[in-house]
Amino acid sequence: MEINDALLAFTALSQDTRLRVFRLLVEYGTEGAPAGTLSEALAIPHNTLSFHLSHMSNAGLVLSQRKGRSIIYSANFEFFTDLIRYMVKDCCRKDMASIRDNKKKKCSIIELSNCCSPTHKEAYP
């Protein structure tokens, strides 16, 4: 991955609506969802959602495909995996983080070292 591709993706995700849309698309998995479903779930007007989907698509984060009369949007998991891999591989010291491929499960595993104790406990519901 080139730094400009990473910058474009992070710029796209740095906006509240786009980050919420992307997180929802991740929940829908590779099947994706039509724009109307996304619009209703996030209470975003269709034209606003269309603008944000286009922006994320241009950044490589979102894929679209026509199914009948609908356009189905999905997170571009391959691109996002490459983005995470780029961050860990090129931005972290090897003693802090590493990536290994699990060919049996067909996935990458990111291992982060427990280098620092948290200064406060985060509350999880």
Side-chain angles (χ1 to χ4, degrees):
M1 173 166 290
E2 299 293 323
I3 192 168
N4 288 335
D5 296 331
L7 288 171
L8 225 98
F10 285 123
T11 299
L13 292 174
S14 70
Q15 199 277 341
D16 176 69
T17 301
R18 290 191 287 268
L19 182 58
R20 290 186 312 129
V21 170
F22 186 77
R23 289 180 62 157
L24 183 59
L25 285 172
V26 168
E27 288 182 33
Y28 278 103
T30 56
E31 295 298 313
T37 300
L38 301 171
S39 177
E40 288 175 25
L42 297 171
I44 299 171
H46 293 286
N47 58 342
T48 301
L49 179 64
S50 178
F51 168 80
H52 290 297
L53 285 168
S54 175
H55 194 79
M56 290 188 300
S57 180
N58 289 336
L61 293 162
V62 172
L63 301 172
S64 61
Q65 62 178 331
R66 182 168 291 283
K67 284 192 179 175
R69 294 182 353 184
S70 297
I71 297 176
I72 306 299
Y73 294 92
S74 61
N76 185 345
F77 288 101
E78 184 177 340
F79 177 84
F80 195 64
T81 299
D82 288 345
L83 180 62
I84 294 169
R85 183 178 291 278
Y86 169 80
M87 290 302 296
V88 172
K89 181 180 176 190
D90 295 338
C91 297
C92 296
R93 292 183 5 203
K94 291 186 187 309
D95 61 334
M96 302 298 284
S98 65
I99 300 174
R100 63 182 168 85
D101 292 321
N102 185 326
K103 295 186 190 300
K104 187 176 180 181
K105 291 185 178 181
K106 297 181 182 175
C107 67
S108 296
I109 299 168
I110 298 172
E111 297 174 317
L112 302 174
S113 70
N114 191 8
C115 64
C116 307
S117 300
T119 57
H120 65 281
K121 287 190 175 186
E122 294 185 34
Y124 293 101

